[in-house]
Amino acid sequence: MLKIENLHVRVDGKAILKGINLHVRAGEVHAIMGPNGSGKSTLSNVIAGRDGYEVSEGSIRFKGKDLLGMAPEERAWEGVFLAFQYPVEIPGVNNTYLLKAGVNARRRHLGLPELDAMDFMQRVKEKAKLVELDPSFLSRGVNEGFSGGEKKRNEIFQMAVLEPELALLDETDSGLDIDALRVVAGGVNRLRSPERAIVMVTHYQRLLDYIQPDIVHVLVDGRILKSGDKALALELEARGYDWVREEAGA
Amino acid sequence: MSLSIEQLRAQARDAFARHGVPTRRLEHWKYTDVKRALAPLADNLLELPSDPMPVDALGDELSIAGLDAWRIVIADGVVLSLPDDPPQGVHVASLAGQLHAQPEQGVAALHFDEQAPLFNGLVALNAALAGDGIVIRLEDGVRLDKPLYLLHLSRGKAVHIRHRIQLGRHAEATVIEHYAGMDAGLSNVISRLHLAEGARLHHVRVQQEAVGRTHIGRVEAELERHSQFVSHSVALGASLSRVDIVAELRGPGADCRLDGLYLTNGRQHADHHTVIAHRAPHCRSREMYRGVLDGRSRAVFNGRVVVHEGAVKTDSAQSNANLLLSGRAEVDTKPELEIYNDDVKCAHGATIGQLDENQLFYLKSRGLAHEEARQLLTFAFADEVLTGIAVPALRRHIEHAAFSKLPHGEDIEGMLAGHDGTGEMA
Ligand SMILES: Nc1ncnc2c1ncn2[C@@H]1O[C@H](COP(=O)(O)OP(=O)(O)O)[C@@H](O)[C@H]1O
Ligand SMILES: [Mg+2]
């Protein structure tokens, strides 16, 4: 589903990603772990299409299509979703309205009829319940005045409503207390399906107690130095990242 | 000791002769060349308006749709009709009628003070020439059941109007001044407002004059103790508009909110000058002005807050934010704080900028197309100012007018259909 080959990315002339290779198949859950500043958010942002990153080498293909040639909204229509590490507040833009516009833009792109207001509201209410989002948040401005944890919860709620094929979760676990983490993880787990892929980016293994990854990658200094199964995450938790660096001779 | 109307008019003419039409040499008219805008009228400025225009169906056509209000149409500065049976305790008269029947009240309505903040020659001109307007008084404790809606239709070359609104203790009212001038010319309107103890007034100006017209407005509000004044000034039309709002917080605990929105395009010029004078302790003022500028338009915002010596525990916050949609639009913004005691909390800030890249990316990552995302953010930015407008038909009217001014606004309006502004979907 997602094929990243030899991806090199620069920001302001500085090399941040230095040859990333990542293959994610439908149905899989991948975890990308790495210390702060290793390039995890850069990778997520480049996949979602944020400006300001220079791809100097390599390719990203999604369902066989060249993702790098697409505008961010086209990527969303194709089924890419990024849950932001730092969701921005957008006062005055209604949360539910945004989702309705997003869902219907994608449906138009896919040649499907738009959802009518009733069907849409039903979907919204159902998904809000799923992540235990207070219904009052639906009618507020996007993330406006939300606490850190509420913003993260809102990201997962949006993901549930938009039903992406590829979900990128950038540090969705940070800023969540243990109850919220459980709820958010529950939301993510319910989204797992053979047609969907999930890539979780985190620097704690905490989240992986709740969402079991199929594959764990270690991202250090812009390179994936090691990949393995769930046991790798536990090892990272116990031993830190330095041994991976040494082992890779980096 | 009180003046006769003749004396007042003579004094006003004299003051106008001395001050004249403001020029850019004056500090507060530096960016706004009203003299040039009025040049075509220069010789007729002292002429009284000619016969009132025929209104016919125009009043209905230009009225705010679906607004349940006490409507009064003022055509070329002449009050056409008054409510037949206003509620108990509400006294509505025309200034013309009052000048005739109770001249001393008329003189009070036309009062002007050369020492008042932002006084200028056009204030004197208004005092010299305004022949009509609305004079409304609410007795103590009276709550106006629906808004008073003043629809101003102007075709005359120069129209001078004077309104006076007095709210008794704990009285409450919403007053909407709607300006829909249709031809080139000058509208020069002054509204004098008085809020007695505990009174609450929501005063909304919606300026939608035709391009080609010059709109000069002035609002003077006096707030006694614990009164609450909310003002919205929306500038959409006219080639040049200048609105001065002066709020005097005279009694302890008075609360004042000045909000404003200007949307300009083409070569429009919109200027707001506001003065909030804190003269008593424990008063609060809030001010939020926003502008969206396109084309080669220009906007000016000058917000002065004066905290006088005895006005301890003053709590004041002011912001002015501007969005430039075009590289050729220009805005001059200047907050002015004058504080004469230490025991105050004051904050102000002004910004001029483009749309926020992070917000744009967020919306696009959720599937909104680039243009849609831009329009939505632009509209949301402007709409924030309208959140304090609790009359749904009025808010819808302004939003619709705003949409039709924004690039591709109709598309967004269509997308938002079924969305009633409170965030609930129909
Ligand atoms: N917009 C940017 N401008 C400059 N440097 C950046 C920018 N974004 C990221 N970086 C740098 O790139 C590196 C990787 O950052 P990031 O991808 O945010 O790491 P992580 O998410 O793993 O903590 C850091 O050294 C960071 O300082
Ligand atoms: Mg990060």
Side-chain angles (χ1 to χ4, degrees):
Chain A
M1 176 174 272
L2 180 71
K3 255 195 174 136
I4 301 182
E5 310 267 8
N6 190 32
L7 184 72
H8 288 256
V9 173
R10 297 168 164 273
V11 178
D12 294 336
K14 183 176 146 208
I16 306 290
L17 299 182
K18 304 162 184 168
I20 300 282
N21 293 294
L22 181 67
H23 293 197
V24 180
R25 281 182 302 228
E28 288 178 348
V29 175
H30 289 231
I32 297 179
M33 302 188 66
N36 267 331
S38 56
K40 302 183 299 295
S41 290
T42 302
L43 179 61
S44 317
N45 285 330
V46 168
I47 298 172
R50 191 193 278 270
D51 276 347
Y53 298 94
E54 183 206 337
V55 176
S56 50
E57 234 181 293
S59 66
I60 306 181
R61 304 189 77 78
F62 179 59
K63 298 187 292 183
K65 297 179 191 165
D66 172 27
L67 208 58
L68 292 173
M70 294 182 204
E73 61 270 31
E74 291 176 273
R75 301 181 197 204
W77 300 338
E78 287 292 333
V80 175
F81 177 90
L82 170 61
F84 288 84
Q85 180 173 7
Y86 303 109
V88 64
E89 299 196 15
I90 316 183
V93 174
N94 177 272
N95 212 11
T96 307
Y97 166 72
L98 167 64
L99 289 173
K100 186 168 179 229
V103 165
N104 282 331
R106 180 155 172 231
R107 290 180 69 91
R108 282 196 300 275
H109 177 78
L110 299 174
L112 297 170
E114 295 188 8
L115 285 187
D116 69 31
M118 286 248 292
D119 292 344
F120 176 75
M121 279 318 287
Q122 188 162 351
R123 188 198 287 200
V124 158
K125 287 193 177 127
E126 201 177 288
K127 306 295 183 178
K129 202 174 283 173
L130 187 73
V131 295
E132 296 174 21
L133 187 78
D134 185 326
S136 72
F137 284 60
L138 298 176
S139 56
R140 294 199 6 209
V142 175
N143 295 321
E144 187 180 359
F146 290 20
S147 72
E150 287 159 353
K151 285 179 185 168
K152 296 300 178 82
R153 210 181 271 233
N154 192 36
E155 293 292 287
I156 298 307
F157 161 67
Q158 296 195 358
M159 176 181 80
V161 173
L162 291 166
E163 300 180 339
E165 287 176 63
L166 171 67
L168 305 161
L169 313 182
D170 190 359
E171 308 258 6
T172 297
D173 49 335
S174 63
L176 291 183
D177 63 33
I178 207 75
D179 289 332
L181 186 66
R182 207 173 284 137
V183 170
V184 161
V188 175
N189 282 328
R190 235 165 291 193
L191 208 77
R192 284 179 90 147
S193 88
E195 296 83 43
R196 254 186 214 124
I198 296 171
V199 176
M200 294 181 288
V201 161
T202 177
H203 66 270
Y204 298 115
Q205 94 96 31
R206 200 169 75 126
L207 181 66
L208 310 185
D209 289 341
Y210 298 93
I211 309 171
Q212 307 273 324
D214 300 304
I215 301 174
V216 175
H217 308 275
V218 187
L219 180 68
V220 178
D221 297 334
R223 289 188 185 90
I224 290 180
L225 295 185
K226 199 175 174 65
S227 301
D229 63 10
K230 225 195 124 240
L232 179 55
L234 294 169
E235 203 171 353
L236 290 170
E237 180 81 351
R239 297 175 62 193
Y241 290 99
D242 287 344
W243 66 275
V244 188
R245 273 200 192 94
E246 282 157 23
E247 199 181 278
Chain B
M1 73 153 261
S2 72
L3 294 175
S4 72
I5 182 64
E6 292 76 20
Q7 285 168 320
L8 177 129
R9 298 286 200 198
Q11 285 185 2
R13 277 173 183 266
D14 173 63
F16 178 65
R18 280 183 283 111
H19 291 274
V21 174
T23 69
R24 296 187 55 187
R25 284 196 297 277
L26 294 172
E27 167 70 14
H28 286 292
W29 294 83
K30 198 156 60 179
Y31 304 111
T32 298
D33 199 346
V34 69
K35 184 135 182 134
R36 199 172 77 176
L38 294 182
L41 287 177
D43 299 335
N44 319 80
L45 274 178
L46 280 168
E47 251 168 52
L48 285 170
S50 46
D51 295 338
M53 59 188 278
V55 171
D56 309 328
L58 215 51
D60 291 333
E61 205 176 296
L62 293 174
S63 281
I64 292 172
L67 180 69
D68 182 21
W70 296 99
R71 187 180 78 164
I72 297 174
V73 179
I74 300 146
D76 268 349
V78 175
V79 175
L80 293 190
S81 64
L82 293 168
D84 292 333
D85 52 347
Q88 184 96 37
V90 178
H91 305 275
V92 190
S94 70
L95 176 63
Q98 219 174 38
L99 284 168
H100 186 74
Q102 298 167 282
E104 69 295 342
Q105 285 297 316
V107 168
L110 285 166
H111 172 83
F112 70 98
D113 175 3
E114 292 187 46
Q115 305 310 315
L118 302 173
F119 172 84
N120 62 78
L122 293 168
V123 177
L125 188 64
N126 179 287
L129 298 181
D132 212 347
I134 293 299
V135 183
I136 178 166
R137 186 170 64 83
L138 267 64
E139 290 175 14
D140 290 352
V142 170
R143 211 174 131 194
L144 197 58
D145 53 344
K146 46 191 183 179
L148 182 72
Y149 173 46
L150 309 179
L151 174 61
H152 303 73
L153 306 172
S154 302
R155 221 161 227 178
K157 289 217 178 317
V159 174
H160 305 273
I161 302 168
R162 178 73 65 124
H163 298 308
R164 189 183 190 203
I165 298 163
Q166 292 171 284
L167 266 56
R169 295 167 64 196
H170 302 284
E172 285 180 32
T174 295
V175 177
I176 303 163
E177 297 181 16
H178 186 198
Y179 295 92
M182 281 154 290
D183 293 318
L186 166 69
S187 300
N188 181 13
V189 192
I190 297 179
S191 303
R192 300 190 57 218
L193 319 174
H194 186 266
L195 288 74
E197 177 177 345
R200 295 164 68 156
L201 176 63
H202 187 186
H203 183 259
V204 185
R205 286 184 119 262
V206 184
Q207 186 271 103
Q208 294 182 279
E209 309 248 40
V211 169
R213 205 165 177 83
T214 299
H215 180 93
I216 305 291
R218 181 178 170 92
V219 178
E220 300 174 1
E222 290 175 340
L223 284 71
E224 307 300 347
R225 70 167 56 219
H226 297 299
S227 62
Q228 288 180 33
F229 176 54
V230 177
S231 153
H232 279 87
S233 177
V234 180
L236 301 166
S239 284
L240 182 147
S241 68
R242 162 71 179 244
V243 175
D244 291 348
I245 300 180
V246 179
E248 299 272 350
L249 282 58
R250 312 203 310 187
D255 191 298
C256 159
R257 157 150 231 131
L258 305 185
D259 286 347
L261 175 65
Y262 39 94
L263 302 183
T264 55
N265 58 22
R267 288 177 169 272
Q268 281 185 298
H269 181 111
D271 179 344
H272 275 96
H273 272 59
T274 66
V275 176
I276 300 173
H278 282 267
R279 296 186 183 278
H282 295 282
C283 292
R284 197 178 79 121
S285 63
R286 291 287 178 271
E287 181 165 24
M288 173 167 70
Y289 268 73
R290 288 195 172 181
V292 180
L293 288 78
D294 204 354
R296 307 180 69 161
S297 64
R298 186 151 187 191
V300 180
F301 174 79
N302 183 294
R304 190 157 137 231
V305 176
V306 188
V307 183
H308 290 273
E309 205 176 300
V312 294
K313 306 284 180 204
T314 287
D315 175 4
S316 169
Q318 178 194 72
S319 73
N320 171 235
N322 298 277
L323 201 53
L324 301 184
L325 302 183
S326 139
R328 291 180 304 174
E330 228 181 289
V331 56
D332 293 285
T333 170
K334 187 173 174 195
E336 291 183 65
L337 264 177
E338 284 174 46
I339 304 177
Y340 300 103
N341 81 68
D342 298 332
D343 193 6
V344 301
K345 205 168 85 190
C346 287
H348 62 84
T351 60
I352 302 170
Q354 280 88 40
L355 293 172
D356 182 281
E357 285 300 328
N358 287 324
Q359 295 181 339
L360 268 177
F361 177 62
Y362 191 97
L363 296 182
K364 291 194 274 185
S365 78
R366 299 305 181 243
L368 264 67
H370 180 75
E371 265 310 309
E372 251 172 29
R374 286 185 59 87
Q375 291 156 26
L376 188 58
L377 286 180
T378 306
F379 177 74
F381 172 82
D383 200 43
E384 281 267 295
V385 179
L386 307 178
T387 49
I389 295 182
V391 180
L394 174 60
R395 181 161 173 187
R396 270 198 305 274
H397 175 87
I398 300 172
E399 285 179 339
H400 176 71
F403 278 127
S404 20
K405 281 209 82 172
L406 296 173
H408 310 285
E410 326 77 58
D411 304 349
I412 278 286
E413 191 170 20
M415 282 164 60
L416 284 173
H419 175 259
D420 67 5
T422 60
E424 290 297 323
M425 300 262 180

